[in-house]
Amino acid sequence: MKKTIVITGASTGIGRATALYFAENDWQVAATMRSPDKETELQKIENINVYQLDVTNQTSIDKAYESISSDFEKIDALLNNAGYALYGPFEISTPEQIRKEFDVNVFGLMDVTRTFLPKFREQKEGLIMNISSMGGKITFPLISTYHSTKFAVEGFTEVLAYELEGLGIKAKLIEPGNIATDFGGRSMKFAASDVVTDYNPYVENMMAMMQAAGPDMYSQPEVVAEVIFKAATDGTDQIRYIAGEDAKQLISMRQENGDEAYVKHMKSQYAIKDNG
């Protein structure tokens, strides 16, 4: 019998690439997204079923779970992929913006996990994979709340691995670096202010550095899909899987040199240049 994976946020980027990769490798895929009516390509693939699921709406999660459980006798893996980044100085990020980011990246992930756990307990086996980020281990300026959500996902998943081991259920983390998806477009929101302008030189400096880096700094989403497939099939108790050369280098740099050296390096790279 073919194995089945459930994927949230499967309409674009990592989620979409992963749905296609698992389907190509003979898995059944339950690809979930907020607006399945806009999806055309995945609907045409024989072993991919598309479902409506909004991770911020428990009713939507429950309906998707009921439909998927009805269509598939067994669910082998859940990939919590849905997420986005709020970009900008913390001070000008509104409480509503911050809460929404946590609702998607943390609480939505937890709600989906809680909904599928009884199925895994009943089966006495299952795998939960949560998309974190190298941003769950290291930090960059101007995405403080995004880093906060990913640090939360790291801690949550590591504790899940403890709690679920005796039940035959595994929990794993995927830590991508910069990926060539629409993350900088549809999946990235910006906090801005016409009143507080003190941060503008810092933001402009950061944006200029990002644009100067160009496309070579990004890995393709298929790179992450391959790592996710390895995590799902290697049969090990490994918890963390890094995806992308930049993530490997930066996480390694912090581990080898220590926190203070990493922060000092980041300050030197991203400090506002004095034009005085």
Side-chain angles (χ1 to χ4, degrees), residues 72-204:
F72 300 101
E73 180 179 348
K74 184 182 178 186
I75 299 171
D76 297 278
L78 166 66
L79 177 67
N80 284 307
N81 166 72
Y84 73 96
L86 175 63
Y87 186 95
F90 170 75
E91 184 183 351
I92 62 176
S93 303
T94 68
E96 292 75 19
Q97 288 176 316
I98 296 169
R99 288 192 181 94
K100 183 176 180 180
E101 187 176 26
F102 270 82
D103 282 343
V104 174
N105 293 6
V106 180
F107 300 126
L109 178 150
M110 289 180 173
D111 288 342
V112 173
T113 299
R114 186 186 297 108
T115 301
F116 279 82
L117 267 176
K119 180 73 170 178
F120 289 152
R121 284 195 296 103
E122 178 187 333
Q123 297 174 170
K124 295 183 169 54
E125 64 177 319
L127 170 63
I128 299 163
M129 296 181 289
N130 293 330
I131 298 292
S132 176
S133 166
M134 66 177 177
K137 302 295 285 293
I138 62 173
T139 57
F140 296 95
L142 300 179
I143 46 174
S144 60
T145 54
Y146 174 74
H147 282 302
S148 300
T149 66
K150 293 306 182 181
F151 271 65
V153 169
E154 290 274 333
F156 171 67
T157 308
E158 188 170 307
V159 174
L160 271 189
Y162 299 150
E163 294 180 356
L164 301 178
E165 183 177 11
L167 306 177
I169 306 167
K170 295 180 179 179
K172 300 191 175 190
L173 283 155
I174 313 298
E175 299 170 335
N178 290 304
I179 305 299
T181 69
D182 71 341
F183 195 76
R186 190 178 68 87
S187 295
M188 180 171 274
K189 310 299 181 184
F190 292 85
S193 171
D194 294 328
V195 177
V196 180
T197 59
D198 293 16
Y199 298 101
N200 287 1
Y202 199 76
V203 173
E204 291 166 4

Side-chain angles (χ1 to χ4, degrees), residues 214-225:
D216 291 341
M217 72 179 288
Y218 298 100
S219 300
Q220 294 300 314
E222 288 75 17
V223 170
V224 188

Side-chain angles (χ1 to χ4, degrees), residues 11-22:
S11 60
T12 59
I14 292 171
R16 187 184 195 84
T18 302
L20 292 169
Y21 193 87
F22 273 72

